[in-house]
Amino acid sequence: MFTQENGKFYVRIEGRFESAHFLYQYFADGSDEPIHGHSWKVEVFLEGNTNIRPDGISYDFLTARTRLSELVHSIDHILINDHPDFKGVNPTSENVARWFYAGLKSDVKSSDGKIRRIVIHEGPENLAFFEPDENASMT
């Protein structure tokens, strides 16, 4: 039998989507980047408000998994720049990560959890991640 080691538990959920985007005023002359697409992946690292429950579960991620699927579906196979939430927002990987955080935070909070990190993979080699400020409100 294994020993009950002390430590923190996190769970990870992920989603994948295919979308295009372009960045505004990307070049030195102020012109936009050309439209191009990526195979994206989003990873969400979650923590329960209780490190580990008596049943051995640190965080039941079903609510977050359901909401993540909804968000992924809404951004899949589109030009992200045209998504209503990105009007006037440069669709960088960093802003896509913050968008997922904004879309998940109330569901995660209502299911007694916290988002610790969101990682956005822009293809297989590039990524950005967002870690919410622990002092910021989750509401």
Side-chain angles (χ1 to χ4, degrees):
M1 179 161 175
F2 68 93
T3 59
Q4 298 288 336
E5 299 292 336
N6 290 327
K8 265 194 148 179
F9 289 94
Y10 299 92
V11 297
R12 181 187 70 85
I13 58 176
E14 76 172 49
R16 294 173 185 266
F17 56 101
E18 304 291 328
S19 293
H21 74 150
F22 66 92
L23 302 182
Y24 301 112
Q25 300 178 344
Y26 183 73
F27 296 106
D29 67 0
S31 62
D32 296 342
E33 178 184 40
I35 294 173
H36 61 281
H38 297 285
S39 294
W40 302 77
K41 179 169 80 169
V42 55
E43 296 177 285
V44 181
F45 293 82
L46 303 156
E47 175 186 10
N49 289 334
T50 303
N51 187 43
I52 189 90
R53 302 182 329 204
D55 62 4
I57 295 173
S58 62
Y59 174 71
D60 185 352
F61 55 80
L62 181 60
T63 299
R65 171 79 245 160
T66 301
R67 181 65 181 135
L68 179 62
S69 293
E70 293 168 356
L71 291 168
V72 164
H73 179 74
S74 78
I75 203 169
D76 191 29
H77 286 88
I78 67 165
L79 176 62
I80 296 172
N81 303 65
D82 291 342
H83 190 286
D85 292 343
F86 282 89
K87 292 294 181 197
V89 175
N90 210 12
T92 62
S93 293
E94 294 86 346
N95 282 332
V96 171
R98 285 197 283 208
W99 177 79
F100 274 105
Y101 174 74
L104 287 164
K105 67 182 180 179
S106 66
D107 290 278
V108 170
K109 183 179 180 183
S110 72
S111 59
D112 295 322
K114 299 172 191 154
I115 298 170
R116 286 299 178 205
R117 176 182 285 180
I118 296 185
V119 181
I120 299 295
H121 297 262
E122 198 179 276
E125 297 173 346
N126 302 310
L127 65 84
F129 65 86
F130 174 72
E131 292 179 341
D133 184 349
E134 289 192 38
N135 297 320
S137 171
M138 285 277 295
T139 57

